[in-house]
Amino acid sequence: MKAISKVSGRAIPFGRKNVDTDIIIPARWLKTTTREGMGKGAFETVRREAGNVFDDPEYAGSPILIAGDNFGCGSSREHAAWALLDMGIAAVIASGFSDIFSSNAFKNGILTIELPQSAIDRLMEVSMTDPVDIDLDSQSVTTPFQDRFEFQIDPFRKHCLMNGLDEVGMTMAQDDAIATYEERLMLEKPWQQPVMR
Amino acid sequence: MPKTLYEKIWDAHVVDQRDDGTALIYIDRHLVHEVTSPQAFEGLRMAGRKVRRADLTLAVPDHNVPTTARVDVQGKPIPIADPDSAAQLAALERNAPEFGIRYIRATDREQGIVHVVGPEQGFTLPGTTLVCGDSHTAAHGALGALAFGIGTSEVEHVLATQTLLLKRSKSMEIRVEGALGPGVTPKDLVLHIIGTIGAAGGNGHVIEYRGSVFEEMSIEGRLTVSNMSIEAGARAGIIAPDEKTFAYLKGRPMVPQGADWDAAVAHWRMLRTDKGAVFDASITIDAADVEPTVTWGTSPEDVVPIGGIVPDPMSFADPSKQAAAQKSLDYMGLAPGMKMTDVPVEHVFIGSCTNSRIEDLRAAADIVRGRTKAGNVKSVLIVPGSGLVKYQAEREGLDRVFVEAGFEWREPGCSACLGMNPDKVPAGERCASTSNRNFVGRQGPGARTHLVSPAMAAAAAVTGRLTDIREL
């Protein structure tokens, strides 16, 4: 995973609330066995709307997406995160995220930033004309107009994102603790081992 | 210190607690299907990693499998026409044996939707942690498991380590007391709950459903309610296991036997929220306020009693909701003020991990008996949740009720719940559906979905419009 510390550029002012994962990537794009190339299907239904922000040349290659509350609600498909990544999105700023989406985004090195709706409204306005800057180290989003919005992030996630750490490898290093747990489980709940017949 | 049921299960699964609040949580059961697993297996292969506990993992294909005949007259498997779907199935069929995982094939009688198969096989047990790369894993909480959907990176993490790195969620109690009225089903109740707390109302929480209504409810009904916890934003729902739970599980293929069963039940009886335990949020709903419920928009929170009307977008206080409602109505082809019972439907779908169990099919058949499909209805798909549900329904003669009414009796799978297999609703056409999501394009590009109970779906099929089953 690539380490991430700063994201700067124009932000796509999408702004909608309850953006579900079927909107981010419709199911017909899920029939793959690899993680690549999903950007083509990203926001497919929105892109059929005339004048949509995703096809506005103004925002071509934008690394940031702005949305309203409950972004990424619905299915657990990690394809939503892969699709954003493939579009070149490195950070999503929203007034709220679904739990599964924000976890999936994190595992793919996408920064999810939760800010109050008033900050979202302001950033939407700025994004019409100017870029925004995200600094993960100082946990802030700033604009060329001296706006500064601080955000919260789980310290563990921050550490992993800033260092591009592989979580599976990190957990495998705790194999002893897992083995000890399993031994205890065998003693306390032997009946919980699956019956194989 | 009194604990909630969620806290008890969580505490029993902590392998390692970190100072930052993150915990390494042991996973007792892992269900795998063909859509969210290929990239996880690929990740393992590339890193030269093995599945740590293949015996705790069960793989079943469900999302892509067509619901038409699986084998020809000679009993030979019929290949899947769509090459991408076929490739995903082939990948699971290759990955499962390669990594030593038990695999139910598309042609096996036990095959079905993962969330129907898990409880049915007794793979799901009270007090366990159970995950699957599918958000409707929340369903298994109906048996008292802590069950939630995960992404593919987490699937890979569980395969490799049998654990997940998680932060404890907040707890929410949804208490429903009283008795549901005539014609009011668990599906209506959960739609009502989502309408009450909103599609984001449960974000960051695990919901425990409590109160007399859930105590009286069948396991099938509890599965329906818990299944849709995710539509209120909650990652998991849970219902304390009780005598009904034990009776449901007893004798199922993968549950403990003999003395082990007794030991298990003794342990499961302790899985209750302690008196005096504090929830982070508490919601109380009077069962008498719940009516047969239907969605009008494109979020599961867009609900209205069947006797109600399509709302005016301007009636919502929140300006962003006003805009969203207008967009929804445009998409749904509905006008404010229209009576829900005047809305005609062209398609009916009875199935999905929410409502495809035997009790759902019985409820639908009870409405249909002696009636036939309305003239304006183009298709009615009845898709049992598993081969075993299908077999049971056929033994009870339910298939004949449906076929004689002009409905299609299909093979098990996710079917028209999501646009991944041949069962789709055409653009601009309207479907009364027992599934769980009315999102834009969910049942196919441009498809219009109204979420309803199995009885209401059956009623819509015979009247040709959304119908109050109490007036049928």
Side-chain angles (χ1 to χ4, degrees), chain B residues 202-285:
Chain B
N203 277 359
H205 290 79
V206 165
I207 297 174
E208 182 178 342
Y209 298 98
R210 310 177 79 198
S212 56
V213 163
F214 300 110
E215 287 160 19
E216 292 303 314
M217 195 177 278
S218 68
I219 299 301
E220 284 87 349
R222 293 179 191 181
L223 284 158
T224 298
V225 171
S226 201
N227 174 279
M228 288 189 72
S229 303
I230 183 70
E231 308 314 331
R235 208 163 175 187
I238 192 164
I239 297 174
D242 59 10
E243 296 309 316
K244 282 200 166 93
T245 317
F246 311 145
Y248 172 91
L249 284 172
K250 192 163 190 191
R252 292 196 180 262
M254 297 176 81
V255 303
Q257 311 288 321
D260 278 349
W261 170 259
D262 297 335
V265 171
H267 174 77
W268 295 339
R269 283 190 210 285
M270 298 186 294
L271 296 171
R272 310 196 75 83
T273 289
D274 294 328
K275 245 195 170 62
V278 179
F279 288 87
D280 295 299
S282 283
I283 311 276
T284 303
I285 287 171

Side-chain angles (χ1 to χ4, degrees), chain A residues 12-187:
Chain A
I12 305 173
F14 188 38
R16 289 188 199 165
K17 68 180 282 192
N18 285 335
V19 174
D20 59 63
T21 51
D22 282 77
I23 293 285
I24 301 171
I25 186 87
R28 68 188 196 89
W29 292 91
L30 310 191
K31 296 188 190 187
T32 63
T33 51
T34 61
R35 298 174 195 234
E36 281 81 38
M38 238 157 280
K40 285 197 299 288
F43 297 100
E44 187 179 48
T45 45
V46 179
R47 289 191 142 144
R48 292 204 197 101
E49 297 171 11
N52 76 79
V53 285
F54 296 104
D55 291 322
D56 186 338
E58 186 87 358
Y59 303 108
S62 289
I64 303 166
L65 179 68
I66 306 179
D69 195 14
N70 206 22
F71 185 84
C73 62
S75 95
S76 63
R77 62 186 69 160
E78 196 158 320
H79 309 68
W82 300 333
L84 292 176
L85 213 54
D86 201 47
M87 281 173 74
I89 299 293
V92 183
I93 305 176
S95 47
F97 292 91
S98 97
D99 298 338
I100 302 181
F101 175 81
S102 83
S103 167
N104 284 342
F106 159 64
K107 314 253 167 186
N108 288 278
I110 297 174
L111 187 53
T112 55
I113 297 173
E114 193 172 320
L115 289 175
Q117 190 59 43
S118 54
I120 299 293
D121 294 342
R122 172 62 186 153
L123 291 171
M124 288 281 288
E125 193 184 340
V126 170
S127 301
M128 297 296 167
T129 49
D130 288 271
V132 301
D133 292 295
I134 300 169
D135 181 53
L136 179 53
D137 195 26
S138 67
Q139 297 179 210
S140 63
V141 181
T142 52
T143 73
F145 308 101
Q146 319 311 316
D147 299 285
R148 181 186 165 86
F149 304 106
E150 291 188 358
F151 60 89
Q152 297 298 312
I153 182 168
D154 178 272
F156 174 72
R157 284 192 177 181
K158 181 176 176 177
H159 173 74
C160 290
L161 286 168
M162 292 195 67
N163 296 286
L165 295 175
D166 164 9
E167 209 180 276
V168 176
M170 280 165 50
T171 303
M172 286 182 81
Q174 282 189 280
D175 190 60
D176 286 353
I178 302 171
T180 304
Y181 180 91
E182 284 179 329
E183 282 164 27
R184 204 179 81 212
L185 187 64
M186 264 313 274
L187 286 174

Side-chain angles (χ1 to χ4, degrees), chain B residues 158-173:
Chain B
V158 175
L159 289 172
T161 70
Q162 206 58 36
T163 64
L164 279 175
L165 267 173
L166 297 168
K167 243 191 166 132
R168 188 189 283 196
S169 301
K170 286 185 267 192
S171 59
M172 177 185 284
E173 160 189 48

